[in-house]
Amino acid sequence: MSEHRGVLVVGAGPVGLFGALRLAQQGVDVLVVEAGSELGTTSKASTFHPSTLDLLDEAGAAEELLPLGVVVDEIQWRDLAGDILASVPFSVLEGRTGFPYRLHAEQTLLTPILLRKLRELNPDSVRFSSRCVSVEQGDGSVTATIAGFDGATTVTSGFLLAADGAHSEIRKQLGIGFPGASYESRALRVVTKEDLREHLSNLTGIAYVRDERQSCSLLHMRDHWRFIFRVAGKQSDAEVLDPEAVRELIDAVAPGVSIDFSEVYSNRAHIAERYVSGRVALAGDAAHVTTTAGGMNMNCGLHDAYAFARAMAEVLGGAPLSALEETGAARRGVVKDVIIPRTESRAAGSDGDADALARAVASTRELAADPERAFRFLYEASMFDTAPSLRGER
Ligand SMILES: Cc1cc2nc3c(=O)[nH]c(=O)nc-3n(C[C@H](O)[C@H](O)[C@H](O)COP(=O)(O)OP(=O)(O)OC[C@H]3O[C@@H](n4cnc5c(N)ncnc54)[C@H](O)[C@@H]3O)c2cc1C
């Protein structure tokens, strides 16, 4: 069996589905193939930055996502005694965005919204249990072989958007390297279903605890709170997850609070040697993986999807093919020159170094007291300097 489509998207994660929706909204005949039998359900990304909410809004998806998450309108730094060291309200971004706050919501809440909107435009736009097993490029088209329940299908399209995740087979088939490395430090995520605001007064939805004894981040999700600790030592994962050790860490922050779940994950950074090869573009984790510090990787992938969908729609509408290459170079430059260094500096921490911690706290206080610096900080943390522009120039 063979068929023709404007664009084939591989992968129905947040990035593939958002790219497909934007393509469909620009009148492109799009098909998404997903190897899994249903949408992913693993808890991963949890933060949508204001720049991403603006892009989702253009697709009509922000309105439905907002009620499912927690709106966080202020970032706070505090110590273990409960003193507020500094705070910056997202209201400094008013006028720059329709969403002067970050939204804490699991990425698994976004994907069903994108899927439904896509199917409303074209009921046959997403196929599950369909794995892309090979890709060949010809003159002006891409031919992909899709293995499904009922055998193999050949899909010929004008472009292919590879959003097939960090282990991207398409990236490997194209011979594009994915250099990078794991960081020495790992992250420990501990979840409590209790409301931390009943234990810690004046707590905002995102708080950075900075204290000589123990630092961590606290995130408010709809039905739980997360503690994120940086693990710098050489202990094994099992040692880090030892219930007594976890209890001790939590008690230093919020004594006695219940512990419902804990996990350790390693942090790494990888970036594809190039994002575009002929008529195939890599987006999301297929193109880059960064540390989870600052919650930027999925946001960056959604930005890739938006930018590539626009470029592909433009080229299909008659613009030169170079628009795709230019978009790939711009998106790659953003991750290499800005996102990776930024997430690395955020992940660095100053555990055990009292002077470095005191300097970091003093600098944060100065920043919070200076409206221009506070704006710049939140502008960058919200990824406005690295997001594609809305409805306009590339
Ligand atoms: C613990 C953790 C916490 C995180 N927290 C954050 C955060 O707070 N903020 C943030 O921005 N990011 C965060 N991230 C990163 C974020 O989860 C990823 O960047 C995001 O999932 C990438 O989406 P994606 O669509 O590119 O890839 P994926 O979500 O991996 O989706 C790829 C899809 O492609 C499918 N697929 C693969 N191969 C094929 C094939 N050959 N044919 C068809 N389908 C295929 C897969 O089945 C999968 O469904 C976190 C990650 C982890 C692990």
Side-chain angles (χ1 to χ4, degrees):
M1 214 168 85
S2 69
E3 59 185 296
H4 290 262
R5 294 287 184 141
V7 176
L8 176 68
V9 175
V10 179
V15 174
L17 287 174
F18 186 49
L21 178 61
R22 288 302 299 144
L23 282 158
Q25 289 174 332
Q26 289 167 94
V28 176
D29 176 25
V30 66
L31 174 66
V32 182
V33 289
E34 164 58 47
S37 58
E38 56 182 20
L39 292 176
T41 53
T42 312
S43 162
K44 293 202 283 188
S46 58
T47 301
F48 292 88
H49 291 299
S51 59
T52 308
L53 293 172
D54 280 335
L55 300 184
L56 290 173
D57 192 42
E58 196 174 312
E63 197 184 53
E64 291 182 45
L65 184 63
L66 284 177
L68 307 181
V70 175
V71 167
V72 177
D73 59 8
E74 186 174 318
I75 298 188
Q76 172 183 95
W77 291 261
R78 55 192 293 141
D79 62 18
L80 288 179
D83 290 330
I84 311 301
L85 304 171
S87 60
V88 179
F90 277 88
S91 57
V92 298
L93 295 176
E94 267 165 20
R96 174 62 185 79
T97 171
F99 303 88
Y101 42 80
R102 54 188 260 173
L103 185 74
H104 288 179
E106 303 274 1
Q107 67 186 59
T108 49
L109 293 170
L110 175 66
T111 44
I113 295 172
L114 299 175
L115 176 66
R116 189 176 43 69
K117 293 187 99 55
L118 196 48
R119 282 183 163 158
E120 277 166 13
L121 290 172
N122 175 359
D124 177 36
S125 53
V126 185
R127 285 186 205 150
F128 288 95
S129 303
S130 301
R131 176 177 288 277
C132 176
V133 289
S134 75
V135 174
E136 278 175 38
Q137 302 214 47
D139 205 13
S141 67
V142 188
T143 300
T145 304
I146 312 300
F149 278 138
D150 43 2
T153 307
T154 305
V155 179
T156 302
S157 56
F159 293 103
L160 188 150
L161 185 65
D164 52 341
H167 302 289
S168 172
E169 279 300 325
I170 294 175
R171 189 186 65 230
K172 288 175 199 157
Q173 275 193 33
L174 294 172
I176 300 176
F178 199 46
S182 290
Y183 297 107
E184 280 185 13
S185 68
R186 288 158 291 163
L188 166 66
R189 176 160 92 168
V190 182
V191 166
T192 179
K193 295 205 169 136
E194 280 189 59
D195 189 346
L196 264 192
R197 290 170 299 186
E198 287 169 11
H199 294 256
L200 305 177
S201 56
N202 304 315
L203 183 63
T204 56
I206 175 82
Y208 300 112
V209 176
R210 295 294 176 257
D211 197 288
E212 264 187 63
R213 288 168 289 162
Q214 180 64 61
S215 291
C216 66
S217 308
L218 307 175
L219 268 89
H220 186 196
M221 303 299 293
R222 204 170 169 81
D223 58 358
H224 67 269
W225 280 79
R226 294 180 185 180
F227 300 72
I228 314 283
F229 297 91
R230 180 171 177 269
V231 181
K234 299 249 180 269
Q235 315 100 293
S236 66
D237 285 0
E239 284 167 332
V240 175
L241 289 170
D242 175 71
E244 276 182 34
V246 175
R247 182 77 261 165
E248 199 177 323
L249 281 173
I250 296 301
D251 280 350
V253 184
V257 79
S258 68
I259 295 171
D260 290 287
F261 172 75
S262 47
E263 67 171 341
V264 180
Y265 51 89
S266 56
N267 269 319
R268 59 200 181 110
H270 289 265
I271 180 165
E273 283 163 341
R274 53 187 201 284
Y275 279 18
V276 172
S277 172
R279 291 179 166 264
V280 180
L282 305 177
D285 280 15
H288 51 81
V289 175
T290 69
T291 95
T292 54
M296 297 194 174
N297 203 48
M298 175 196 65
N299 284 268
C300 194
L302 293 171
H303 296 183
D304 298 339
Y306 180 92
F308 277 128
R310 180 163 62 199
M312 288 177 179
E314 281 173 3
V315 177
L316 289 170
L321 184 59
S322 56
L324 193 68
E325 279 284 352
E326 285 163 22
T327 301
R331 293 306 307 156
R332 185 174 186 280
V334 151
V335 172
K336 180 175 150 293
D337 299 332
V338 184
I339 301 285
I340 290 180
R342 189 172 288 163
T343 53
E344 281 177 353
S345 72
R346 276 174 160 259
S350 41
D351 311 355
D353 183 340
D355 289 342
L357 181 68
R359 281 196 302 277
V361 168
S363 161
T364 303
R365 281 187 150 140
E366 280 169 26
L367 177 156
D370 177 341
E372 241 172 72
R373 283 186 64 196
F375 171 81
R376 193 70 217 165
F377 168 77
L378 271 192
Y379 187 81
E380 292 176 357
S382 303
M383 302 177 71
F384 282 110
D385 58 335
T386 55
S389 57
L390 280 164
R391 288 185 210 90
E393 70 287 1
R394 192 163 295 114

